[in-house]
Each structure stands twice: as C-alpha cells, then as structure tokens.
Amino acid sequence: DTMKALRPLIPIRFEEIRVAVKIPAEHAAKAYGDIDAFARIEQEEWQKDGSWICVVKIPGGMQQELESLVRKVSRGGGQVRVIQG
C-alpha cells in the first residue's frame, strides 16, 4: 500500500524489461563479461562477423545505466533496443 501511494510522487519502477544488445566484434569479448555481470542474459548469439547479440532482462529503472555501459564497452559502437517494456 505504501509503495502504491509513493509511486505518483516518486518514479519507482520495479518492472523488468527485455533489451536487445549488439556489440561489434572488436569489443565483444570484453563486453560479454561486463554485460553478464550487470544483467541477466536470456539469449545470445555470436554472428559470423564476430559481433555478439544478446537479450537481457533488467529492472526498468536501470535502462540508462545499461545504455551507458554498452557505450563504454563498445566505444560507442554498440546498439541497445528495448524489445519489451
């Protein structure tokens, strides 16, 4: 009841979202460990060109942190897309 009363006042998000992440080949090995430590990897696939694609599940409030992590580990070359919110 308390959380329901606070939600309109403070944007608290507990729902989880699924996010697709693509990392270029030259950064994929390092990114794998960092993303695995940050989020729960649900699916993953290594592409023929060496790039890595995964689907992770994270709390909705951590989307910006994930995007920042992907930018950092891929030096701006990664892609992030919410596939379920």
Side-chain angles (χ1 to χ4, degrees), residues 9 20 23 32-33 38-39 43 46-47 52 64 67-68 70 76:
L9 304 173
I23 305 291
Y32 183 93
F38 182 84
Q43 294 176 295
W46 292 90
Q47 302 296 295
W52 178 56
Q64 288 181 340
E67 290 173 357
S68 178
V70 169

Side-chain angles (χ1 to χ4, degrees), residues 49-70:
D49 67 356
S51 62
W52 178 56
I53 298 173
C54 67
V55 174
V56 299
K57 195 171 227 183
I58 59 170
M62 296 183 71
Q63 181 180 346
Q64 288 181 340
E65 291 175 45
L66 175 64
E67 290 173 357
S68 178
L69 174 65
V70 169

Side-chain angles (χ1 to χ4, degrees), residues 5-85:
L6 287 175
R7 275 196 184 130
L9 304 173
I10 304 170
I12 301 172
R13 295 176 57 184
F14 290 108
E15 72 271 4
E16 289 189 321
I17 58 174
R18 293 177 71 222
V19 181
V21 177
K22 182 175 183 181
I23 305 291
E26 60 270 16
H27 305 293
K30 167 134 176 56
Y32 183 93
D34 291 343
I35 291 174
D36 186 42
F38 182 84
R40 183 170 22 125
I41 298 173
E42 291 191 324
Q43 294 176 295
E44 62 181 307
E45 183 178 314
W46 292 90
Q47 302 296 295
K48 290 180 182 181
D49 67 356
S51 62
W52 178 56
I53 298 173
C54 67
V55 174
V56 299
K57 195 171 227 183
I58 59 170
M62 296 183 71
Q63 181 180 346
Q64 288 181 340
E65 291 175 45
L66 175 64
E67 290 173 357
S68 178
L69 174 65
V70 169
R71 276 193 305 274
K72 178 182 164 192
V73 298
S74 69
R75 300 187 188 221
Q79 299 174 9
V80 177
R81 184 173 56 110
V82 175
I83 56 176
Q84 178 184 0

